[in-house]
Structure formats: C-alpha cells, structure tokens
Amino acid sequence: MNEEDQRYLADAACRIEKLLISRTAMPLRPEGLSPDLQAFAEKFDHLLEAMEALRRFAIALGNGDLSHEPPKRLHLLDSLKQLQANLRHLTWQTLEVAAGNFDQQVDFLGEFSAAFNKMVEGLREKRTAEEQMRHLSLHDALTGLYNRTFFNEEIERLRLSPDYPVSFLIADLDDLKPVNDTYGHQVGDLLIQTAARLLEHGVRGEDSVVRVGGDEFTIILYGTDRTTANAVLDRIRTALHAYNRRNESLSIHMSLGTATAQDDADLEDALRRADEAMYQDKVQRKEKLRNG
C-alpha cells in the first residue's frame, strides 16, 4: 500500500465518520491510488454522493419541504421518494377536508392513516349533527315546512337581494279551533299537515312555504310578479275545492291573500298588503256563508 493509498483510506474513514454524525461528506476524487484501490474509490465516491443526496432529502422532508426534488435514478432514495409522494397526496386530501370534502380516506401511512380517517369521520359526524340541528332550527316539526326563524332570516336576505319582483301569499287556516274542540288536537294537527301539503303542491319547488304560526302560512314566491302570484292563488283555491269534494267530512278552508314587492324597500308593505288581502278574503267568505 503506497502513501496515497494510506492517505485516501484515512480521508475515507473521516468521510464515513461525518456521515455517521449527519454532516456533509463530499466525494474525495482521489488520484494516484493503486489500481486495486482506485476501483473501490470510484464506487465509494458514488456512495458518498448518494448519501449526501439522501441526507439533504431527508432534512427537507423533516422540515416539511415537499417541493425538494432529489436526483433521478438514485434508487437509494426510492423509499423517501414514495414517502414524499404520499405526503403530497395527504396534503391535498387535508386541503379537501378543510374545504368541507369529508369523503377522503388514507390507507398508505399505517397507523397515521387510521388516525387521519378517524379524524375525518369525526368531522363528518360533527357536520351531519350540525346540519341536522340547522335543519331542525329552520323547520316546523309538525309539517316539515320552514318555520318563522327561516322566514325572518329569508326576509333579511331578500333585503340585500337584487332579484325582484318577489310576491307573498298569506294563508290562514279557518275554523281550526272548532275542529280541535270537537275532534281533538290530533285531528287538528292532521288538518294543519294536509293544508301544508296542499300549499306545497300549489307552488314551485324553489318557492318557500312557511308555517309562521299555529294556523298561519306564508309563501315566498321568488321572481314572481302580481299576475303570476294571482294565478298561484287561484291554483291553490282550485286544489282546495277539489280536496273538499273528496273529503266532505273534514274539509279544509283557508283565507288567502297575495301582494308583490317590486324592490327591497317594498318588502314590509307587500307583506302588510298580502295580510290585508287575506283578512278581506276571510270577511267575504264569512259574509257569503251567513247569506247562504
């Protein structure tokens, strides 16, 4: 072993020590080695280059830097490359979860996958519970229609909406108290539920039918002018007459009124006009019954 060989082996041992303490260990690029050691030195330099790339890549991953691109065709890094790809995909899935997409599942990171999936399941259950609570807070338990809370929120939303005209149809279920007194509240509840279905079937799916009180309903007809609102009112009256012909023993009578708001400033007045029209209809119907 010549002097260059001895110096090289000492330097190589120093490089190995640096690798073991995770420090930079650059290739030696030796010259003047004996032929037997020269072949080893070339392979050892390649190993040093690979280990340095591995060290830098591992540090980047440890620091959360998923943008670091390692050298290609370096199979020593394959496992870390796969880890990087998994973490990139996991990052995307986490962003999806943050955006409300709880359909994400992880199955490539062992115990972490189970923890991630459990977290997503918990978030999904929490959102479902919140949606159920929100639904209950905005809907009437007896009829399934929207309730007054929804109505108040929707009026506030309409104040900021550019979509006009908006029409209101107010319906008041007549003679509910005599039905409750004669047949019981269970029959009265059935009457309210039937009235709700008749009102729902008389409007479009995008319109809002609201039970604002015990026997009071308000329908919000979006993008509807006065002529169309009157046509809806006539359609509901026709449906009521048809129902009563089939159910003479327990008929349903409703007083109806409608009015149209041309802009947000007209909302309250339109509601008042619709309410007045409903009471006028109630008075006229009672007079008609008295006069036979």
Side-chain angles (χ1 to χ4, degrees):
M1 180 180 296
N2 61 34
E3 186 176 344
E4 288 298 326
D5 287 354
Q6 292 175 351
R7 186 179 297 111
Y8 170 78
L9 290 175
D11 289 342
C14 181
R15 295 293 194 277
I16 292 172
E17 185 176 357
K18 287 183 176 181
L19 286 175
L20 292 174
I21 59 175
S22 190
R23 295 179 59 188
T24 300
M26 303 305 294
L28 292 167
R29 312 293 188 213
E31 295 181 357
L33 298 180
S34 61
D36 289 339
L37 193 56
Q38 184 64 42
F40 169 82
E42 291 174 359
K43 294 185 183 301
F44 186 64
D45 274 358
H46 290 159
L47 177 61
L48 289 175
E49 291 174 348
M51 294 302 293
E52 177 62 18
L54 177 62
R55 187 183 73 87
R56 292 181 182 276
F57 193 32
I59 289 173
L61 285 180
N63 291 332
D65 179 9
L66 302 182
S67 64
H68 185 84
E69 295 294 342
K72 300 182 184 302
R73 294 184 296 278
L74 189 56
H75 298 299
L76 189 62
L77 304 184
D78 284 351
S79 295
L80 287 181
K81 289 178 182 178
Q82 183 60 51
L83 175 61
Q84 182 192 54
N86 288 343
L87 290 175
R88 282 176 172 173
H89 186 67
L90 179 63
T91 299
W92 174 83
Q93 288 184 292
T94 303
L95 291 174
E96 286 292 294
V97 171
N101 177 8
F102 297 148
D103 294 330
Q104 301 301 316
Q105 285 284 320
V106 176
D107 57 7
F108 48 77
L109 285 175
E111 293 182 5
F112 182 85
S113 296
F116 182 90
N117 294 337
K118 186 174 181 180
M119 177 195 71
V120 174
E121 179 62 26
L123 290 172
R124 186 186 300 118
E125 291 176 355
K126 181 175 182 290
R127 182 176 68 178
T128 299
E130 289 174 347
E131 288 175 348
Q132 290 175 343
M133 290 297 295
R134 176 65 175 168
H135 179 86
L136 291 173
S137 72
L138 298 178
H139 288 78
D140 171 54
L142 178 63
T143 63
L145 299 178
Y146 289 119
N147 61 17
R148 181 174 284 279
T149 299
F150 168 86
F151 180 76
N152 293 337
E153 291 183 5
E154 190 66 0
I155 291 299
E156 292 305 312
R157 188 192 70 80
L158 287 172
R159 294 187 196 281
L160 304 176
S161 172
D163 301 326
Y164 284 88
V166 172
S167 293
F168 299 101
L169 192 155
I170 293 182
D172 190 82
L173 185 58
D174 297 331
D175 303 323
L176 180 61
K177 187 177 185 305
V179 170
N180 285 332
D181 293 342
T182 303
Y183 301 104
H185 285 276
Q186 188 172 8
V187 175
D189 288 347
L190 178 61
L191 206 66
I192 292 172
Q193 292 171 327
T194 304
R197 302 291 82 80
L198 286 169
L199 293 173
E200 275 188 315
H201 294 156
V203 299
R204 302 166 301 182
E206 61 265 30
D207 295 323
S208 297
V209 184
V210 185
R211 185 187 179 200
V212 294
D215 55 2
E216 301 173 9
F217 302 87
T218 298
I219 302 175
I220 305 174
L221 302 167
Y222 302 99
T224 302
D225 58 21
R226 181 177 178 180
T227 301
T228 306
N230 286 329
V232 172
L233 187 147
D234 291 339
R235 186 162 63 244
I236 291 174
R237 281 178 172 152
T238 300
L240 277 170
H241 293 323
Y243 172 84
N244 289 334
R245 283 196 300 269
R246 299 190 305 269
N247 300 272
E248 295 182 0
S249 61
L250 194 62
S251 58
I252 293 177
H253 301 285
M254 284 192 283
S255 300
L256 304 169
T258 185
T260 300
Q262 298 299 331
D263 54 43
D264 61 299
D266 195 28
L267 280 174
E268 296 296 338
D269 194 54
L271 282 167
R272 180 188 57 78
R273 297 195 309 271
D275 197 52
E276 290 176 352
M278 182 273 294
Y279 275 108
Q280 185 178 2
D281 182 50
K282 186 184 292 287
V283 169
Q284 291 174 348
R285 292 179 61 255
K286 286 183 178 180
E287 288 180 352
K288 185 176 180 180
L289 287 173
R290 280 199 301 267
N291 295 331

